[in-house]
Amino acid sequence: MEKKTKFTTNDKNRSYIRFNKNYLMDIAESAHENPSAFEVFMFIIKNMDANNSLVVSMETLEKTLVFTRSDLNKAIKYLEENKWLSIRKQSTSNVYTINPEIARIGGVNPTQYCPSSTPMNQKRGIPMPTYEVAFVVQGYVANTVADIGPIECNGLQKDEHHYYLKDGRMYYNINATSPEKAYALGRQLFENEDFKDLTVTDWCLEHVSFGDKYWYKEDLHE
């Protein structure tokens, strides 16, 4: 009779990868924006150890992924600049550590890493900034007790038939790698928003902001 392998809890946990849902859309976008970087990212995740790290040479990555050195360098640079991973040298290989704020081995506490692979958020700050995306919203409701959903405004102004929003705004806090991506995600959320009793007649971007820095529509390169 074939002997069955007995797995410990740790063995089972290490068969699973936990992704932070706040970054799923960014991961999906990276697959479209930079397919090579996405492939490298997923290869490292698939093969990383319990410390979220993979020790591998550039030659091995080239042969395994069938990339040129130039394409591989560009893909890794993209991942490092967007803080998907960190890199350090070890002999003739590199140690690639996936940011545990984005993905980690199931069952492993992200704070329990050896010093050489300290989570990036402790060493370099939050991996992706949280942008505020604000939209100006114009619209109306039938009466003063109508539900305008998540819209913020300074009251309603009555005309002959309707009550119109005064200074209507919609705000989203979005984790993204750039203000352009934050705007794109905010727009998707806005277009799928439930505005309850409100009829939206027009809307536009007011700003994307991070701290005291602001971007307006003309600043964004879509």
Side-chain angles (χ1 to χ4, degrees):
M1 180 181 293
E2 183 181 355
K3 185 178 179 180
K4 294 184 178 180
T5 302
K6 183 177 180 180
F7 292 97
T8 65
T9 300
N10 283 339
D11 291 329
K12 292 176 181 177
N13 283 337
R14 289 173 187 175
S15 296
Y16 295 90
I17 304 295
R18 293 185 178 182
F19 286 89
N20 185 334
K21 66 180 182 180
N22 291 327
Y23 302 119
L24 290 179
M25 287 300 296
D26 295 283
I27 294 171
E29 279 191 9
S30 73
H32 174 73
E33 182 179 276
N34 194 324
S36 296
F38 177 75
E39 190 171 348
V40 173
F41 178 70
M42 296 308 293
F43 176 83
I44 294 172
I45 282 184
K46 180 181 178 182
N47 294 284
M48 67 187 182
D49 61 19
N51 290 323
N52 257 38
S53 297
L54 175 66
V55 182
V56 64
S57 67
M58 292 293 281
E59 289 76 12
T60 300
L61 287 175
E62 283 182 87
K63 293 176 182 178
T64 304
L65 299 173
V66 196
F67 284 172
T68 66
R69 180 61 65 94
S70 175
D71 287 342
L72 186 57
N73 283 332
K74 289 176 183 177
I76 291 171
K77 181 180 180 182
Y78 173 92
L79 293 171
E80 186 176 28
E81 287 182 346
N82 285 287
K83 300 182 183 177
W84 297 110
L85 52 73
S86 61
I87 307 171
R88 63 183 178 85
K89 196 72 178 173
Q90 180 174 299
S91 185
T92 59
S93 298
N94 288 328
V95 181
Y96 300 94
T97 302
I98 295 296
N99 189 332
E101 290 291 329
I102 297 172
R104 59 186 173 89
I105 296 290
V108 176
N109 187 327
T111 63
Q112 295 176 342
Y113 283 79
C114 61
S116 62
S117 52
T118 302
M120 197 176 306
N121 67 312
Q122 294 181 12
K123 292 173 67 176
R124 297 173 59 185
I126 299 172
M128 284 187 286
T130 300
Y131 293 92
E132 178 184 82
V133 181
F135 294 99
V136 176
V137 184
Q138 298 177 14
Y140 63 86
V141 290
N143 52 64
T144 57
V145 296
D147 187 349
I148 61 173
I151 293 292
E152 297 181 21
C153 69
N154 291 322
L156 299 171
Q157 183 173 340
K158 189 180 185 306
D159 76 350
E160 186 177 354
H161 303 291
H162 305 291
Y163 291 84
Y164 285 83
L165 296 177
K166 292 173 62 177
D167 302 320
R169 295 292 187 276
M170 185 70 197
Y171 298 95
Y172 295 101
N173 291 320
I174 295 176
N175 293 320
T177 56
S178 68
E180 287 83 4
K181 286 187 177 180
Y183 168 58
L185 289 170
R187 181 169 181 163
Q188 289 178 23
L189 291 171
F190 185 91
E191 290 174 344
N192 290 286
E193 194 67 69
D194 180 7
F195 294 112
K196 305 299 182 181
D197 301 326
L198 177 69
T199 298
V200 175
T201 57
D202 198 10
W203 61 278
C204 65
L205 177 70
E206 180 176 53
H207 68 257
V208 177
S209 66
F210 176 63
D212 59 358
K213 186 170 179 58
Y214 284 74
W215 295 265
Y216 302 95
K217 191 67 168 63
E218 59 271 19
D219 303 319
L220 302 176
H221 306 289
E222 298 178 68

